[in-house]
């Protein structure tokens, strides 16, 4: 799902929102989340998951083409950890899809 897909789904779900209003709402939420992560804050959305910033220490890497060692500087990277409810929904949906594929395969065999 892309950002424009999210805007379209929001506008479809809430008929009183215009496409422009839905776009503004999505942009505002994403901007607020980005700003919070830039400032080092953690974002927790119950039932969905949490966003945080992880610190990666400096390390020595390797250039795959030449094989020479390369110093990789430290950095902060965004991290998402899905919540229990989301993990269970995805797992249940994946299991159902796999069972459907397995049943179809057995029927066609």
């Amino acid at each position: 799902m892309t950002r424009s897909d999210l805007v379209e789904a929001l506008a479809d779900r809430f008929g009183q929102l215009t496409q422009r209003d839905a776009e503004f709402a999505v942009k505002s939420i994403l901007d607020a989340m980005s700003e919070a992560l830039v400032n080092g804050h953690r974002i927790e959305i119950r039932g969905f998951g949490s966003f945080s910033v992880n610190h990666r220490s400096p390390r020595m890497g390797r250039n795959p083409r030449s094989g020479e060692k390369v110093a990789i500087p430290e950095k902060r990277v965004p991290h998402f950890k899905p919540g229990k409810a989301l993990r269970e929904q995805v797992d249940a949906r994946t299991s159902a899809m796999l069972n459907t594929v397995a049943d179809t395969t057995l029927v066609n065999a």
Side-chain angles (χ1 to χ4, degrees):
M1 176 176 258
T2 64
R3 183 179 183 151
S4 54
D5 291 338
L6 186 58
V7 168
E8 189 176 322
L10 189 62
D12 289 346
R13 179 175 259 177
F14 299 100
Q16 70 272 22
L17 283 179
T18 65
Q19 191 81 9
R20 185 180 219 161
D21 291 339
E23 189 172 336
F24 180 74
V26 169
K27 182 180 181 336
S28 297
I29 290 169
L30 294 177
D31 287 347
M33 292 175 71
S34 296
E35 185 68 26
L37 290 173
V38 166
N39 291 328
H41 298 290
R42 185 173 185 272
I43 302 167
E44 184 174 329
I45 303 170
R46 300 261 180 209
F48 183 72
S50 61
F51 297 87
S52 59
V53 177
N54 283 354
H55 176 265
R56 289 195 183 163
S57 301
R59 60 188 173 92
M60 291 303 290
R62 189 179 65 81
N63 181 334
R65 188 173 277 180
S66 65
E68 70 181 77
K69 290 188 176 188
V70 179
I72 300 173
E74 69 179 347
K75 60 174 127 178
R76 294 173 18 167
V77 294
H79 174 75
F80 174 72
K81 181 178 178 188
K84 181 179 177 184
L86 178 60
R87 280 194 319 268
E88 289 173 352
Q89 284 179 336
V90 170
D91 185 46
R93 175 77 178 184
T94 304
S95 296
M97 287 171 52
L98 290 175
N99 289 339
T100 303
V101 169
D103 292 344
T104 305
T105 306
L106 291 175
V107 170
N108 293 334

